[in-house]
Amino acid sequence: MTNRISRILIIGAGQAGAWAAHTLRQNGFEGELALVSNEDQVFYERPPLSKQVLAGEMDAAATQLFPSEVIEAMNIEWHKPDTAVAIDRVRREVRLASGKVLGYDKLMLTTGSRARVPVRAWSEIDGVHTVRTLADAKRLGETLLPGRRLAIIGGGWIGLEVAATARKQGLDVTVFELGERLCARSVVPDVSDFLHQLHSDQGVDVRLSCGAIDLAGTEQGAVQLSLDGIAAGRFDAVVVGAGAEIASELGREAGLDTTSGLVVDACGKTSDPDIYAAGDVAIHPELGYCIQSWANAQNQAISAALSLLGQETPYADVPWLWSDQYHCNIQILGAPGNGEGTEIRRDCGDGKVSFIRLGADNRLESMIAVNDAKLIKLGKRWIKARMQLPAEILADPAQNLMQLKP
Ligand SMILES: Cc1cc2nc3c(=O)[nH]c(=O)nc-3n(C[C@H](O)[C@H](O)[C@H](O)COP(=O)(O)OP(=O)(O)OC[C@H]3O[C@@H](n4cnc5c(N)ncnc54)[C@H](O)[C@@H]3O)c2cc1C
């Protein structure tokens, strides 16, 4: 099968694009491999951007996914910075903003997502930031000076990570969240409360149900923030952490089946058998929505690249992601269920606490573990083994959970 494909084109060179290219080369694809990226800096990891890079503890080179000689050896035909603007599926060609037209035998869409800014005009205001790219993190990092006032719009994972990093740098931080609790889309109320307490303890002013937010630049370079039309403070910088927009437009406009993201089968194939997709832009084949996480981008891309080469490799990983805030490493395993079942809090002291959710059949549905990576590892095995779990043992911190090893 590999021999019949002579040219593969990948659009997007983030986590998923990088792992797709690497997997293709590692698995014997010797034909032309072309990549289009609208960022000049490619093949880097985004998780450190809101953490170590923003704090000035990690430089750009350390975020690179593979050593330079490994990237060199991939023998890639680069088109960057350039943007793919249209796919002609009949001619099997992709048109770029530069006017170039690139052919393909197989196409892989790894266009990811981008930071959502709810009001377009906000992007024009000096002092308003998003954190999606290395350039964003560098620009924001330069403004994080002790004593400055930082507003964060949105109490989701990225907003909270930026809040933690900025507090550590000695800024005065306020989080404005429209909803009634933090990270409401991904965690149960108990976890929202935990996050709220964590940030309040560190001196962050968390304003829930804050009302309609508006921003305006001032002559002094600060940003004026108002809530429901009433002035609510001036800030030296504002970070908009209002979620991400899935960059599915290229595939959608080419007529590929699209819901919240590009629809793919378990092997990453879209509704066009010559086009694959992976990472933030593609739905999770079992869950039916996009999972925006580092592990998903990597593993879905590996599975799609192998499948594209004819080695059908279904992808069904349980969602897993992490967040680092202050002294807490927070890991999230599984997907929120339908609300039935049992919620368990396991508090082991010393900052180690977990929020476990069993489905109606007592099987693990999701788990959020703070400073307990071992429990997450065990949880992955429980899910894989479809193990039924005793709630009373999970809730008792005196019980060693290794007794429940599958
Ligand atoms: C600040 C930050 C912190 C994060 N922290 C964590 C974490 O702690 N844990 C975790 O699990 N996940 C984290 N994530 C999420 C994780 O990084 C993403 O899920 C992952 O990067 C997705 O990879 P991707 O390759 O699918 O998409 P992306 O990384 O978005 O890459 C897509 C690339 O394609 C480019 N592109 C898009 N359209 C076009 C086009 N038409 N033409 C050319 N190029 C195009 C984009 O500009 C981009 O360079 C974080 C994300 C961010 C932004």
Side-chain angles (χ1 to χ4, degrees), residues 10-19 35-51 54 65 79-86 94-97 109-115 130-133 136-137 157-159 161-162 244-245 247-250 278-282 291-298 300-301 320-324 329-330 332:
I10 301 176
I11 314 288
Q15 181 89 16
W19 276 100
L35 256 123
V36 182
S37 167
N38 58 11
E39 282 188 78
D40 203 17
Q41 182 103 20
V42 291
F43 287 6
Y44 67 91
E45 299 186 287
R46 296 187 199 275
L49 300 185
S50 45
K51 310 173 184 79
L54 198 56
L65 271 159
H79 298 271
K80 72 181 176 80
D82 207 340
T83 303
V85 291
V94 173
R95 186 159 50 79
L96 309 189
L109 297 177
T110 49
T111 47
S113 53
R114 54 187 160 254
T130 53
V131 192
R132 184 77 207 173
T133 64
D136 293 341
W157 294 110
I158 289 182
E161 287 190 348
V162 174
E245 275 172 7
S248 57
E249 63 281 357
L250 191 62
D280 282 11
V281 73
I291 306 290
Q292 294 164 50
S293 86
W294 174 92
N296 177 72
Q298 174 175 314
Q300 194 177 24
W320 168 72
L321 63 130
W322 79 94
S323 175
D324 293 317
N329 168 258
I330 304 164
I332 301 121

Side-chain angles (χ1 to χ4, degrees), residues 3 49 105 168:
N3 296 338
L49 300 185
D105 295 324
K168 283 197 281 183

Side-chain angles (χ1 to χ4, degrees), residues 5 40 53 55 213 229 240 264 289 315 328 332 345 379 381:
I5 304 170
D40 203 17
V53 172
I213 301 169
V240 182
V264 292
Y289 53 85
Y315 171 79
C328 293
I332 301 121
R345 183 184 171 116
R381 297 177 63 178

Side-chain angles (χ1 to χ4, degrees), residues 117 119-129 139 215-217 223 240:
V117 180
V119 178
R120 189 180 286 234
W122 291 357
S123 309
E124 309 299 320
I125 304 172
D126 273 349
V128 174
H129 299 255
R139 184 173 154 256
L215 301 177
V223 184
V240 182

Side-chain angles (χ1 to χ4, degrees), residues 8-14 16-18 20 34-36 84-87 89 93-94 104 106-112 246-258 261-264 268-272 274-283 297 300-301 304 308:
I8 299 174
L9 176 58
I10 301 176
I11 314 288
L35 256 123
V36 182
V85 291
I87 303 169
R89 288 166 48 201
E93 286 175 350
V94 173
Y104 65 83
K106 297 282 180 189
L107 177 64
M108 171 82 79
L109 297 177
T110 49
T111 47
I246 302 296
S248 57
E249 63 281 357
L250 191 62
R252 188 183 58 240
E253 283 161 17
L256 300 179
D257 283 357
T258 311
L262 297 178
V263 175
V264 292
K269 198 190 293 171
T270 67
S271 51
D272 179 330
D274 292 325
I275 306 181
Y276 287 68
D280 282 11
V281 73
I283 61 154
Q300 194 177 24
L308 185 157

